[in-house]
Amino acid sequence: MTFTRWENRSVIVTGGTRGIGYGIAELFARQGAAVLLTGRDERTACAVAEGLARTTGGRVTGRGVDLRTPAAIDEMAAEAVRLHGGIDVLCANAGIFPEKPLREMTADDVDEVLDVNLRGGILAVRACLPTMEGAGRGRVILTSSITGPTTGYAGWSHYGASKAGQLGFLRGAALELAPHGITINAVLPGNVRTEGLAELGEEYLRGMAASIPLGRLGETSDIAHAVLFLASDEAAFITGQTLTVDGGQTLPESLDAIAPAAP
Ligand code: NAP
């Protein structure tokens, strides 16, 4: 049996400066892929990329790409082609999750979340399409969430809408991309230990960990390995699908339904 060889494959990871995106970029770099990672700020992205190149020994480049700016997204795709000769994999991962109760939500609050999480991801896929179509192959992996597609959380209704919206996009896009040999799938993380999640506070993290049957928060590598699989040659016949990676968090009907931890 042969497995995907990642050497010289070109991978873009949006939101690769920290959290889940950083974990994805790190795993691809360790496999030998050429990685372009992005965040809002060019200097931060470059510094993170340099650090990853050092620790993994891989080819990692950073660029500042604000996903609210369509021209910057197009430039991201062009830069990947200039640097790495093509685009084999797009990990449309960047996202924000500001808390805002519906009663206090402004139009700008809604726009901000939808612009980054939904519109930014769609435009990133569009920007990579000509290159992938030209090659007759490609892999797109969206980072969605359990929140929205599967569960709800008070204070994050706009976020849930953006994450569920990604899946509507996923299914239509899968049909358009299939004739070109391009697959598109989504990972649905549960609660993963990232800088962004830590900003929600210790109490939030403790409560979440207690509601996960496997007894811990997710690690970024848990999500990265699922993404790596969906990006692999071995996943060639999977498109338009979702892969939940949540430690079983969405299974129990109540906290009582979770078996107590072994002594
Ligand atoms: P995080 O630690 O806050 O990192 C977010 C990343 O997105 C950063 O690299 C950030 O880069 C980038 N980003 C934010 N706004 C951006 C913008 N306007 N343009 C470009 N990049 C932008 O978040 P995370 O927890 O890793 O979450 C990553 C993804 O996983 C998100 O889509 C999130 O919805 C999803 N998710 C996370 C969890 C979880 O438990 N952590 C659960 C389910 C789904 P800069 O700060 O450098 O700009």
Side-chain angles (χ1 to χ4, degrees):
M1 190 186 292
T2 54
F3 291 101
T4 305
R5 296 184 63 86
W6 292 103
E7 289 81 11
N8 297 321
R9 300 246 182 142
S10 168
V11 178
I12 298 176
V13 184
T14 70
T17 55
R18 66 181 210 172
I20 291 172
Y22 180 88
I24 295 170
E26 180 179 33
L27 185 60
F28 276 109
R30 285 198 192 285
Q31 304 303 312
V35 177
L36 175 63
L37 68 79
T38 69
R40 279 164 297 185
D41 176 58
E42 175 92 9
R43 279 177 58 178
T44 306
C46 288
V48 171
E50 276 168 31
L52 257 187
R54 247 193 329 274
T55 54
T56 63
R59 269 169 82 191
V60 189
T61 307
R63 286 289 176 269
V65 179
D66 193 319
L67 286 175
R68 292 168 295 192
T69 311
I73 298 172
D74 290 341
E75 176 53 25
M76 171 184 78
E79 181 71 343
V81 174
R82 274 194 297 272
L83 288 168
H84 303 138
I87 304 168
D88 296 294
V89 180
L90 167 67
C91 303
N93 163 81
I96 54 172
F97 34 93
E99 180 182 7
K100 186 63 75 115
L102 186 52
R103 191 176 283 280
E104 297 166 20
M105 201 176 283
T106 65
D108 286 346
D109 293 330
V110 179
D111 283 348
E112 187 194 12
V113 168
L114 293 182
D115 280 356
V116 179
N117 295 3
L118 184 55
R119 192 183 78 153
I122 293 172
L123 294 182
V125 176
R126 190 195 64 177
C128 295
L129 274 195
T131 303
M132 288 183 174
E133 284 177 4
R137 48 176 284 179
R139 293 276 188 276
V140 179
I141 298 94
L142 310 176
T143 306
S144 177
S145 176
I146 59 170
T147 311
T150 316
T151 64
Y153 204 102
W156 279 275
S157 59
H158 54 345
Y159 173 76
S162 74
K163 294 284 142 178
Q166 283 182 298
L167 300 192
F169 165 68
L170 167 77
R171 294 180 181 119
L175 294 171
E176 289 192 37
L177 303 188
H180 302 283
I182 304 167
T183 68
I184 177 167
N185 293 287
V187 288
L188 275 55
N191 280 267
V192 180
R193 195 186 295 282
T194 64
E195 292 88 335
L197 204 75
E199 286 163 9
L200 302 179
E202 264 306 311
E203 199 183 328
Y204 176 94
L205 297 182
R206 256 196 312 277
M208 278 303 164
S211 68
I212 299 173
L214 283 175
R216 64 170 176 87
L217 295 169
E219 301 295 338
T220 59
S221 63
D222 293 319
I223 310 305
H225 281 100
V227 170
L228 187 79
F229 167 65
L230 291 170
S232 71
D233 294 344
E234 288 72 32
F237 206 49
I238 303 172
T239 196
Q241 302 304 308
T242 59
L243 180 52
T244 297
V245 188
D246 71 347
Q249 187 172 6
T250 50
L251 292 175
E253 293 179 19
S254 75
L255 283 180
D256 291 339
I258 301 177

